Amino acid sequence: MSNQLYINEIQILFDAVQKSKIFEDQKMMTDAVPLFPIAEINGKYEQEKDSPGFDLKDFVMAHFDFLGARVSVQREDHFPIGQHIEKLWDELTRTAYEEKGTLLKLPKPYIVPGGRFNEFFYWDSYFIMLGLQVSGRVEMMENIVENCAYLIQNTGFVPNASRTHFLSRSQPPYFSLMLELLSETKDDETIYTKYHDILEKEYAFWMSGEEETERGSGIRRVVKTQDGDILNRYYDTENEPRPESYLIDIEDQENASGEEFYRNIRSACESGWDFSSRWFADGEHIQTIETLNLAEVDLNCLLWHLENTLAKSSGLQNLSDKENYFTERAAKRRHMINKYFWDEKTKIYRDYHIKKNTKTPSEHIAALYPLFLGIADQEQSQAVAETISEKFLYPGGLVTTTKKSGQQWDLPNAWAPYQWLGFKAMKNYGFVELAEKIKNNWSSNVERVYKNTGKLMEKYNALDTETIAGGGEYPNQDGFGWTNGVYLKLQQN
C-alpha cells in the first residue's frame, strides 16, 4: 500500500469530518495517516455511515493514526533562554524518509516551526537557518538547503509546506537567500554553482506564463501592467477550500464579494501573510480578499535577489550569456520596483493594484524589503526609516500593518521575520540607533514572555507587552522555529 495520501482521495469522509468539527483544529485531519488502504476505508465508511449508532469520531480514530499531533513539552526546569533554544533545535528536528499520509518525503532531517506545525515550511526555514548559523549547526543549514533543492528538483518549486495539499502553492522565494547565508557561513562560493540549475528551475516556476500574459492581467504568478511591464504576484493553482482550514473557508465564502474567493485566500497563503487587511479590497473583511489583483513589493524584491543570484552563479561558471541575461533582468526589475511600488506622496513602498493601475492603500511592513536587500536609494531609505519609526515600532517590536482588523498579520502582532528584516534594513543604510531599538524592543518582549510562560511564541503583541499575541485562525503556537532563529541572530549582532 502506498503511504501517500491526497485529501481528494478521501473527500467524502474528509468533508464529513471537517464539517462536523470532531476536532478542534481542522489541521488534525489533514495530518492523519491512514492505517488501511484508502479504498478499504472509503468502502467501510460508505457501508457504515448511515447505520444506527455510527460514531464518526470513533470511525476516524480506528482508521487513521494521528502521529503528527505532538503535545508541547511542559518543562519543570527553566533554563536561560539561549540554552532553552539549543534544546529546542533537537526537539524540533524531524525526518521524513518515507511518505506518511499527506507528509512528503525529504532526503534530510529538518526543523519544524513547532506547535501544530509539524512539517517542513519554506520561508520559516530561512529564519530558522539564521539561528542555526549562530548555534554552529552548519550541517542542519545544509540539510535545509538540500531539502529545498530536492523539492524544486522533484516538484518544480518549494511548496508552502511539505504536505500533498500544499502542492498548489509555494511561499516567499527565499532559496537564493538561503544559499547566500550558507555561502557566507562556510566562506564557500561553490555553493552557488552547485545549485545553479535548481535556482534556474525555481525562477522558471515563478516566471511561468510570462510569454502569454496580456496587459492589465495575470497568468499564474506573472502579471503584465498596463504599460507592458512584467511583475509577479502570489498565486495558487487551486480554487477550492483549503483542507487545513476547510470549514472556515466554506463559511467565509458564503458572503464573499469577488470571484475565485478560494484562490484569493490560497494565494495570500503563498505570501505567508494569512491573513491581513493588506489583501482586502475594503481593508476590513476577508470576504473582499483580492490577492490576485495585486503585485507585491516583497515578492518582487525577492525575485530581484533570485535574478541577481543567478547572474552571480552564471558569472562564476563563465556563462556570459546567462550572466548578461540575468543581470539585465535584475536591473529592469530594480527599476520596476521603484516605478510601481514606491509611493512618492507618502514615502513608503506599497503593493500595486494591476486592475486599477494604482498603489494599494495598505501600509505594511513589507516596505522593508527594498532596504533589506539594498534596492532603495539613500533618500528612500531615510523616508522609510522615519515611517517605520513613527508608525510601526512599538514597545514590543515592529507590527506588520497600521490597521487593527483582528487578523493575525495586522496590528498589534509582531512577527520574528520582520524584526530581522527591520534590524538588517536599518543597519544597511546606517540607521544604527533605530536598528538597535527594533532589536531591543522585540527581544525584551520575547524574554518577558519566556520568563512568564517558559515558551517561545509564534508571534508577539507589540503594543501590550503584558499579554500574549492573538488573532488568526488558530491559537498562538509555541516552539517556535523562526522566533528562536531571529532571537539568536539578533543577540549576536
Side-chain angles (χ1 to χ4, degrees):
M1 137 184 180
S2 158
N3 273 323
Q4 187 83 76
L5 172 66
Y6 290 88
I7 299 291
N8 59 1
E9 297 171 302
I10 55 161
Q11 188 57 45
I12 295 168
L13 171 61
F14 184 80
D15 183 77
V17 170
Q18 299 296 57
K19 285 180 175 168
S20 67
K21 301 188 192 172
I22 59 174
F23 299 116
E24 210 175 300
D25 186 348
Q26 297 251 301
K27 193 178 185 293
M28 279 288 284
M29 193 61 199
T30 65
D31 297 1
V33 179
L35 293 169
F36 308 97
I38 302 292
E40 195 181 304
I41 296 176
N42 284 338
K44 280 187 79 175
Y45 176 65
E46 281 305 318
Q47 221 175 337
E48 295 173 20
K49 66 176 181 179
D50 299 322
S51 55
F54 175 76
D55 185 296
L56 183 58
K57 187 162 190 177
D58 288 349
F59 179 87
V60 169
M61 298 313 281
H63 291 85
F64 292 88
D65 197 338
F66 293 86
L67 316 162
R70 291 203 179 199
V71 180
S72 65
V73 185
Q74 283 294 11
R75 289 182 199 75
E76 298 310 312
D77 42 10
H78 212 68
F79 292 107
I81 192 165
Q83 224 174 316
H84 178 72
I85 292 172
E86 288 302 331
K87 288 191 178 305
L88 278 174
W89 290 144
D90 297 326
E91 229 168 80
L92 296 172
T93 298
R94 303 281 184 278
T95 56
Y97 298 132
E98 56 189 55
E99 281 138 2
K100 271 197 185 136
T102 57
L103 195 65
L104 301 174
K105 72 174 183 187
L106 288 171
K108 301 284 185 185
Y110 51 90
I111 304 229
V112 298
R116 74 203 278 268
F117 301 110
N118 207 30
E119 52 276 295
F120 180 87
F121 274 80
Y122 185 10
W123 80 312
D124 293 63
S125 295
Y126 172 75
F127 298 97
I128 287 168
M129 280 175 75
L130 293 172
L132 294 172
Q133 182 193 44
V134 177
S135 295
R137 296 186 182 226
V138 182
E139 190 183 341
M140 187 57 90
M141 293 175 74
E142 291 172 324
N143 290 345
I144 289 171
V145 166
E146 274 292 301
N147 285 331
C148 287
Y150 170 85
L151 288 164
I152 294 167
Q153 191 61 51
N154 287 284
T155 62
F157 63 102
V158 184
N160 180 130
S162 59
R163 292 202 178 266
T164 52
H165 50 278
F166 291 131
L167 290 169
S168 58
R169 65 173 176 269
S170 183
Q171 262 193 337
Y174 265 87
F175 185 65
S176 59
L177 277 150
M178 290 177 177
L179 294 187
E180 186 175 81
L181 188 63
L182 187 59
S183 166
E184 166 203 307
T185 308
K186 296 182 73 178
D187 195 17
D188 179 8
E189 283 207 328
T190 62
I191 283 158
Y192 290 106
T193 54
K194 179 181 176 183
Y195 293 105
H196 176 84
D197 293 352
I198 302 287
L199 287 164
E200 277 197 318
K201 197 161 184 174
E202 185 177 41
Y203 187 65
F205 164 80
W206 286 96
M207 300 312 293
S208 166
E210 184 181 3
E211 303 306 320
E212 309 102 88
T213 314
E214 305 282 329
R215 287 177 184 235
S217 69
I219 292 181
R220 292 185 284 280
R221 291 163 181 81
V222 176
V223 294
K224 193 177 265 185
T225 67
Q226 314 282 3
D227 290 359
D229 295 320
I230 293 288
L231 291 169
N232 289 80
R233 66 173 177 183
Y234 293 114
Y235 184 80
D236 187 303
T237 54
E238 301 279 347
N239 184 32
E240 51 197 41
R242 293 169 297 151
E244 73 280 12
S245 301
Y246 194 72
L247 196 57
I248 299 168
D249 284 358
I250 289 171
E251 287 168 356
D252 283 341
Q253 196 267 339
E254 284 168 13
N255 310 308
S257 52
E259 293 170 53
E260 296 198 295
F261 172 78
Y262 295 132
R263 197 193 307 276
N264 276 295
I265 282 281
R266 287 162 160 269
S267 301
C269 294
E270 186 167 79
S271 76
W273 288 42
D274 33 348
F275 290 100
S276 166
S277 57
R278 175 184 184 184
W279 312 120
F280 308 159
D282 70 354
E284 302 289 341
H285 305 99
I286 200 161
Q287 287 80 6
T288 68
I289 193 164
E290 57 165 355
T291 324
L292 296 169
N293 288 334
L294 314 179
E296 295 90 355
V297 60
D298 44 359
L299 176 57
N300 283 277
C301 288
L302 288 166
L303 289 170
W304 171 84
H305 188 272
L306 176 50
E307 287 160 346
N308 232 13
T309 305
L310 275 161
K312 178 172 184 159
S313 63
S314 302
L316 288 166
Q317 297 170 90
N318 300 318
L319 303 169
S320 52
D321 287 356
K322 280 189 176 178
E323 185 183 4
N324 292 338
Y325 174 76
F326 287 113
T327 302
E328 274 170 36
R329 295 223 69 159
K332 191 161 174 56
R333 193 181 295 266
R334 185 183 203 130
H335 176 70
M336 295 310 150
I337 287 166
N338 283 313
K339 176 175 173 180
Y340 289 100
F341 303 120
W342 175 248
D343 185 0
E344 190 52 50
K345 284 200 289 290
T346 56
K347 307 289 186 196
I348 193 172
Y349 290 93
R350 298 175 184 270
D351 296 327
Y352 180 76
H353 198 293
I354 304 137
K355 299 273 190 284
K356 294 180 181 168
N357 197 14
T358 169
K359 290 165 186 66
T360 61
S362 174
E363 291 182 306
H364 55 72
I365 200 77
L368 285 170
Y369 274 87
L371 282 72
F372 172 63
L373 295 172
I375 296 167
D377 64 28
Q378 198 60 42
E379 203 178 318
Q380 288 165 324
S381 71
Q382 177 77 45
V384 172
E386 283 167 20
T387 304
I388 292 292
S389 179
E390 281 165 33
K391 295 186 174 182
F392 290 87
L393 184 57
Y394 285 88
L398 289 172
V399 294
T400 32
T401 70
T402 53
K403 195 173 207 107
K404 199 166 189 169
S405 69
Q407 298 292 342
Q408 62 171 356
W409 284 84
D410 276 327
L411 194 97
N413 290 342
W415 293 79
Y418 286 93
Q419 315 309 312
W420 173 248
L421 263 67
F423 175 79
K424 189 85 174 69
M426 296 313 143
K427 285 283 266 233
N428 285 346
Y429 289 87
F431 306 114
V432 180
E433 205 176 315
L434 181 53
E436 285 301 310
K437 203 169 174 190
I438 291 167
K439 164 182 155 175
N440 295 331
N441 286 20
W442 182 75
S443 297
S444 58
N445 199 1
V446 172
E447 287 158 5
R448 176 191 58 80
V449 172
Y450 177 68
K451 186 165 173 276
N452 294 340
T453 65
K455 294 176 179 181
L456 285 119
M457 298 293 180
E458 178 192 21
K459 55 184 180 280
Y460 292 85
N461 187 322
L463 277 62
D464 177 0
T465 55
E466 297 302 303
T467 60
I468 295 171
E473 298 177 337
Y474 53 85
N476 197 359
Q477 301 297 305
D478 69 315
F480 196 86
W482 61 18
T483 299
N484 309 345
V486 169
Y487 178 82
L488 287 185
K489 185 71 174 165
L490 285 172
Q491 295 316 298
Q492 190 199 45
N493 275 269

